[in-house]
Amino acid sequence: MKRLLALLATGASVVGLTVLAGPPAQAATGCSAEYTITSQWAGGFQAGVKVTNLGDPVSDWTLGFTMPDGGQRVVQGWNATWSQSGSTVTARGVDWNRTLATGASADLGFVGSFTGSNPAPTSFSLNGVACTGSVTDPTDPPTDPPATGTPTDVNGQLHVCGVHLCNQYDRPVQLRGMSTHGIQWFGSCYGDASLDALADDWKSDLLRVAMYVQEDGYETDPEGFTRQVNRLVDMAEARGMYALIDFHTLTPGDPNYNLDRAKTFFSSVAARNADKKNVIYEIANEPNGVSWAAVKNYAEQVIPVIRAADPDAVVIVGTRGWSSLGVSDGSNESEVVNNPVNATNIMYAFHFYAASHKDIYRATVSRAASQLPLFVSEFGTVSATGGGAVDRASSIAWLDLLDQLKISYANWTFSDADEGSAAFKPGTCNGSDFSSSAVLTESGALLKSRISTADNFPTS
Ligand code: IDC
């Protein structure tokens, strides 16, 4: 267990340093706060605060702390409403973390600026009560050693259990990975070298294979695209990654337009891949301009085709309003909760683009997650156009929320497209370097740092 004072003495601005506020030997009374500087650059830094409620449950909370150096300012924060007055910083819980049971934690963070030194904050308090408690040092060795082996070795055939994705031990897991761009355009990004990097360096759990149906995709060459998808399924399998077969309908938005194509495609890929354990089927990328009833009708015709060939695979169903659970069409998750697809072992897709979709969407996911099995089969760190700047604060708020809820995700895109959502700089896929930091965009660097952390896959 680390001690705040001892660590402060060693220099709290060291990148990656974790300190605990409060003398750990004291009996737990109210709260503990754990402050970590995750990165630091000239004049700026990013920090995380993990606050744990050690007292009675709270339904609303405000965290306070003091910045000891006059030049330290919170610039932009996430997972709380942040404000600063002089050296006093306050962070108030938001919809999805406002309630904290005894022992529960909330992870918040911010980007800050500083002028002098950048010492760790002091005087953490929760609802006015000093955080004098202690928590187990996260760097202590875990009692259960992490499972060894690839994601598919450890987890085997997946299935839906309650609102979660569960592994072969019937325990919830979160898969974190990347989506291809349209394989009709970016085939050169999906060879042995890039997929080795995805599995070995990124430690990705999954590859989403985005097979557009229109826009020069499947409809132009059904057999050729089916072969390409199967090839990528095999390449993912060889590297121990799950493969999400995405029937990437987008325009037109009514999936029923492609119903016959979907039946042909899925009966083929489901039969061919039935014995594999690494395949998940996503039957309609982003329904739009169409009712939930129409999407449900489509799902109830396509799912039996898959089940007939591959009975045990998980199937993901797109939702209304570009897979926003209806929110982008002025609706919400209740239309699905009240009228779910008549099938088992399915999940519902939720997509977001962090610069466009913020608190209302996050609140929807945090509400819906206790009622519907959700899978974020596509999201971007930028705007819904796929371009523009990375919205770092919103992206981190989203990723923290998905981690907390154990919702699996795939990021758009593992490609070198000339747009902000791409992980690689333009031209990368013409070369052979997919591993160095020089080939990553800002979005790619952020996602690689999130996806490559150790998985938590229970094995008993
Ligand atoms: C975008 C691509 C872009 C392409 C466009 C049209 O990034 O290069 O020109 O599609 O095909 C989605 C879709 C996804 C979009 C992405 C960004 O699922 O196909 O990709 N997006 O606009 N939904 C919301 C955003």
Side-chain angles (χ1 to χ4, degrees):
M1 214 170 276
K2 291 177 181 170
R3 282 154 208 269
L4 174 68
L5 293 176
L7 282 165
L8 282 177
T10 67
S13 61
V14 174
V15 171
L17 177 67
T18 297
V19 294
L20 294 178
Q26 200 168 318
T29 55
C31 52
S32 75
E34 184 187 324
Y35 179 81
T36 307
I37 293 178
T38 49
S39 60
Q40 185 166 304
W41 54 95
F45 66 106
Q46 182 178 316
V49 186
K50 178 174 189 158
V51 55
T52 304
N53 176 27
L54 300 173
D56 291 336
V58 292
S59 56
D60 195 6
W61 54 265
T62 300
L63 174 78
F65 58 82
T66 303
M67 293 287 214
D69 184 282
Q72 294 170 297
R73 308 290 309 169
V74 171
V75 177
Q76 192 183 25
W78 48 89
N79 287 349
T81 306
W82 292 82
S83 58
Q84 183 170 359
S85 167
S87 61
T88 303
V89 176
T90 48
R92 183 160 182 209
V94 285
D95 280 358
W96 55 91
N97 62 16
R98 194 164 279 147
T99 303
L100 283 183
T102 305
S105 302
D107 280 299
L108 348 168
F110 62 93
V111 170
S113 62
F114 68 101
T115 50
S117 61
N118 188 23
T122 57
S123 309
F124 287 90
S125 64
L126 191 69
N127 290 344
V129 178
C131 293
T132 54
S134 65
V135 291
T136 307
D137 185 335
T139 61
D140 282 346
T143 37
D144 287 329
T148 53
T150 66
T152 54
D153 280 346
V154 176
N155 296 304
Q157 176 63 52
L158 302 170
H159 63 280
V160 179
C161 56
V163 293
H164 288 111
L165 182 63
C166 279
N167 66 10
Q168 60 184 335
Y169 305 101
D170 208 23
R171 299 283 302 278
V173 291
Q174 179 198 30
L175 304 182
R176 297 170 296 160
M178 296 295 291
S179 175
T180 69
H181 203 296
I183 56 174
Q184 77 275 39
W185 298 313
F186 290 90
S188 66
C189 290
Y190 314 112
D192 283 323
S194 64
L195 294 185
D196 282 350
L198 185 63
D200 300 339
D201 303 336
W202 289 60
K203 309 213 180 309
S204 183
D205 306 322
L206 85 154
L207 173 73
R208 179 192 194 227
V209 180
M211 186 197 70
Y212 276 78
V213 185
Q214 276 72 46
E215 301 189 57
D216 297 328
Y218 176 81
E219 66 178 4
T220 65
D221 179 11
E223 285 178 12
F225 278 94
T226 303
R227 259 197 313 275
Q228 281 190 56
V229 167
N230 286 332
R231 175 180 148 266
L232 289 168
V233 166
D234 292 351
M235 291 175 82
E237 183 188 39
R239 291 162 176 80
M241 292 187 286
Y242 289 91
L244 193 55
I245 298 182
D246 162 32
F247 194 67
H248 201 84
T249 56
L250 184 60
T251 311
D254 183 350
N256 292 290
Y257 176 84
N258 288 307
L259 180 59
D260 288 342
R261 292 183 192 91
K263 287 181 175 173
T264 304
F265 173 72
F266 281 110
S267 65
S268 170
V269 290
R272 193 263 186 186
N273 297 306
D275 293 337
K276 296 190 189 290
K277 293 181 175 171
N278 73 318
V279 178
I280 301 172
Y281 301 100
E282 182 178 8
I283 60 175
N285 167 48
E286 291 189 351
N288 59 88
V290 67
S291 68
W292 168 244
V295 179
K296 173 176 145 86
N297 171 61
Y298 167 85
E300 289 175 356
Q301 297 192 60
V302 176
I303 292 169
V305 171
I306 296 175
R307 295 282 188 250
D310 187 351
D312 61 357
V314 172
V315 173
I316 300 173
V317 180
T319 57
R320 179 150 80 106
W322 295 274
S323 288
S324 68
L325 285 170
V327 180
S328 289
D329 270 354
S331 182
N332 61 45
E333 77 281 7
S334 63
E335 65 184 22
V336 180
V337 172
N338 296 332
N339 191 18
V341 170
N342 185 14
T344 55
N345 213 23
I346 62 164
M347 307 188 85
Y348 296 93
F350 186 88
H351 293 179
F352 65 85
Y353 280 73
S356 304
H357 308 126
K358 301 188 180 183
D359 285 355
I360 294 170
Y361 291 83
R362 282 190 280 267
T364 302
V365 166
S366 51
R367 269 196 325 267
S370 59
Q371 295 175 281
L372 297 170
L374 299 180
F375 197 119
V376 173
S377 48
E378 180 184 313
F379 80 96
T381 58
V382 298
S383 86
T385 63
V390 171
D391 188 328
R392 209 177 168 82
S394 178
S395 297
I396 293 172
W398 269 116
L399 290 167
D400 287 354
L401 178 64
L402 300 182
D403 290 353
Q404 187 187 319
L405 296 171
K406 274 195 188 294
I407 294 179
S408 300
Y409 62 77
N411 173 254
W412 186 265
T413 57
F414 193 68
S415 84
D416 66 353
D418 191 5
E419 54 188 12
S421 53
F424 293 118
K425 291 179 182 160
T428 301
C429 298
N430 300 332
S432 56
D433 175 13
F434 294 93
S435 295
S436 78
S437 58
V439 297
L440 295 176
T441 62
E442 183 182 357
S443 188
L446 174 61
L447 263 298
K448 187 176 179 183
S449 76
R450 295 292 299 218
I451 291 175
S452 59
T453 57
D455 284 307
N456 173 18
F457 294 143
T459 53
S460 57

